[in-house]
Amino acid sequence: MTHESEDPARRRPGGGVRAGWSGVVAAFVSVGVGELAAAVVAPRAAPLAAIGDVVIAWVPEPLKRLAIDWFGTADKPVLQLGIVVLLAALSFGIGRLAATRPWWGVAAVAALAVAGAAAAVSRADASAVSVVPAVVGGVAGGAVLWWLSRWAVVVAAEPPDGVGRRRFLTTAVALAAGAAVTGFVSRWWSQRAVVEAARAAVVLPPPADPALELPAGHRLDVPGVTPWRTPIRDFYRIDTALTVPAVDPAEYRLRIHGRVAAPLELTYRELLDLPLIERDITLCCVSNEVGGGLIGNARWLGVRLADLLAEVRPDPGADQLVGRSIDGFTAGAPTSVCRDGRDAMLAVGMNGEPLPAVHGFPVRMVVPGLYGYVSATKWLTELELTSFDDYDAYWIPRGWSATAPIKTQSRIDTPRGTATAGEVAVAGVAWAQHRGIGAVEVRVDDGDWRPAELSAVASTDTWRQWVWRWRATPGRHRLTVRATDNSGETQTEEIAPPAPDGATGLHSVTVQVD
């Protein structure tokens, strides 16, 4: 026999659903209050961000590659949305549970808070206050769940058109909306407003060694071709940070240590006071598919890495330079590459501005000719001299190669899809950083390779634009491009995925000519 008192929320139509939504609202409140607490005491310990970072750290590598393939640079917002959806589903069940067993519901909320706190303290930059956002959010969510679940029980006993039901709905919506706004504003304030204010106050000194004047013809006037210099807003972003670290330059310290004769620690101001070099350098992500867009060219300002290494005097066997981010991410580059004369640097500026927060403010590594996963550490706080035998950086145990020179590649930017019969400009970019591009050729269908016109050489560390004038005839045609670097190596036609050391193959597009 079932008694009304055992489950009154489910005795009326919509009662169980109403109880479930009580749990969802409580979850919104928990997250919103947690974000607010994080903004005040520990921005990197915000519950959603902390849990998301754990997911990124532990998710199987094939799923990470799949996420990048499907969502590109939107993979992190998609992950956060997925966490919110999963949390909402769990909270709906917790709400229904709390309607009949309130203490069980509160215990479930406490378990979620403990999970958030554990995720926060597992971070490399965790401190004693890292548990505060999850705990405060859990307390707030538990209190709201208790209150709303009890109210849902009372409302379930009212007539369908009762005033209490409308008040319950209005209150629940207001609480959820207020929590969402609070969470959004708190995250914006902690991640953007604070760091952007600090960034805006930075005045970059002029370079002691400025970039060479760009030659005439370094960029081609061809509609549809990728701009030679990538605007900051369009520069790709691939990293493991779910939320952008907010680093105060006034408190910034860079340690250079490990197998060195003279360890060194520098403040941000001391870095800016060192002689700075300015260079145009193209960066490329190892996850870039053939013809993909995870590549960009910028003008970087920074301290020459070889000068810092000369000061600390690495041991002869220290063949790996490990960059460590404030969030614990690591990337290991060959020490020899950082000292072989190329313009490897600790960058503080990008396209005439202090580094944007999403690209590593205040300091990041830039090493021409290496994929970013072994060299381009953002939010850099440590450089450790070690060896490849003694230490594996973040991506190496996950199946990627320990050394990663960028492969010769080329891409067709235009035309795409359709074209009009007659002369058509087939154009794009080609890159082989630190070797330079020597030639680009284009093929129509299975015809002969035809040489393309190249832009003037700005540097062997930057990409080159190219164009080939095609006498297009009506029909459906396949255009293919290949590049040859200055060492004489032509990019291979063999198709390979990005893992473990960069994609290979030739980029082709199909064009309908009318």
Side-chain angles (χ1 to χ4, degrees), residues 252-267 270-271 274 303-313 346 381-385:
Y252 177 81
R253 297 292 186 277
L254 172 68
R255 289 180 62 216
I256 308 177
H257 64 107
R259 296 171 59 177
V260 299
L264 182 64
E265 182 171 293
L266 296 167
T267 66
E270 288 170 335
L271 274 173
L274 294 174
V303 179
R304 192 186 297 276
L305 192 49
D307 294 344
L308 293 174
L309 293 178
E311 187 170 348
V312 299
R313 303 195 304 277
L346 302 187
T381 59
E382 289 183 40
L383 289 173
E384 181 180 2
L385 275 300

Side-chain angles (χ1 to χ4, degrees), residues 20-414:
W21 283 112
S22 298
V24 175
V25 172
F28 269 74
V29 170
S30 180
V31 170
V33 172
E35 292 283 348
L36 179 61
V40 175
V41 300
R44 297 283 293 161
L48 283 182
I51 291 173
D53 286 336
V54 170
V55 172
I56 289 175
W58 289 100
V59 72
E61 183 58 28
L63 290 182
K64 290 183 182 179
R65 298 175 196 167
L66 189 63
I68 293 175
D69 290 344
W70 282 4
F71 305 113
T73 55
D75 59 337
K76 294 177 181 63
V78 169
L79 172 60
Q80 293 190 68
L81 178 61
I83 293 173
V84 169
V85 170
L86 179 59
L87 178 62
L90 288 172
S91 301
F92 189 88
I94 291 172
R96 295 190 63 139
L97 176 65
T100 55
R101 296 176 176 84
W103 285 113
W104 287 29
V106 172
V109 171
L112 291 177
V114 169
V121 299
S122 70
R123 299 185 49 80
D125 56 348
S127 66
V129 298
S130 294
V131 300
V132 171
V135 171
V136 172
V139 170
V144 169
L145 175 64
W146 179 279
W147 175 55
L148 284 181
S149 63
R150 296 300 86 207
W151 192 3
V153 169
V154 174
V155 168
E158 291 187 355
D161 59 348
V163 175
R165 294 189 177 211
R166 292 193 294 273
R167 287 179 178 171
F168 178 88
L169 177 62
T170 302
T171 302
V173 169
L175 278 172
V181 170
T182 298
F184 175 81
V185 172
S186 299
R187 177 166 291 200
W188 175 86
W189 182 79
S190 64
Q191 294 177 7
R192 293 180 179 247
V194 174
V195 72
E196 285 303 322
R199 179 176 174 266
V202 172
V203 178
L204 295 176
D209 184 358
L212 296 175
E213 184 177 348
L214 294 173
H218 72 281
R219 56 184 178 187
L220 301 177
D221 185 17
V222 179
V225 74
T226 298
W228 186 80
R229 181 171 293 148
T230 308
I232 288 177
R233 67 179 180 275
D234 297 330
F235 207 95
Y236 75 96
R237 177 200 167 194
I238 295 290
D239 51 57
T240 63
L242 186 60
T243 56
V244 177
V247 183
D248 184 352
E251 298 179 1
Y252 177 81
R253 297 292 186 277
L254 172 68
R255 289 180 62 216
I256 308 177
H257 64 107
R259 296 171 59 177
V260 299
L264 182 64
E265 182 171 293
L266 296 167
T267 66
Y268 183 62
R269 183 70 260 170
E270 288 170 335
L271 274 173
L272 294 185
D273 288 341
L274 294 174
L276 303 180
I277 62 173
E278 181 185 59
R279 296 291 186 269
D280 293 299
I281 298 171
T282 299
L283 299 186
C284 183
C285 180
V286 72
S287 296
N288 199 37
E289 299 281 356
V290 172
L294 300 180
I295 182 170
N297 185 53
R299 174 160 288 188
W300 305 93
L301 177 73
V303 179
R304 192 186 297 276
L305 192 49
D307 294 344
L308 293 174
L309 293 178
E311 187 170 348
V312 299
R313 303 195 304 277
D315 295 347
D319 59 4
Q320 181 179 204
L321 178 64
V322 176
R324 183 168 284 106
S325 170
I326 190 172
D327 63 0
F329 172 82
T330 55
T335 307
S336 59
V337 168
C338 299
R339 307 174 76 181
D340 68 359
R342 72 185 70 198
D343 292 314
M345 69 173 79
L346 302 187
V348 296
M350 179 182 184
N351 286 353
E353 302 177 17
L355 278 176
V358 296
H359 292 298
F361 179 80
V363 181
R364 68 169 293 168
M365 277 182 66
V366 172
V367 181
L370 295 183
Y371 286 118
Y373 81 96
V374 300
S375 65
T377 311
K378 301 175 184 175
W379 313 290
L380 182 72
T381 59
E382 289 183 40
L383 289 173
E384 181 180 2
L385 275 300
T386 181
S387 70
F388 285 101
D389 288 338
D390 292 338
Y391 185 80
D392 287 334
Y394 182 88
W395 285 112
I396 310 311
R398 292 165 171 82
W400 297 81
S401 296
T403 58
I406 292 176
K407 296 179 178 178
T408 302
Q409 284 287 326
S410 54
R411 185 181 74 203
I412 299 172
D413 293 334
T414 186

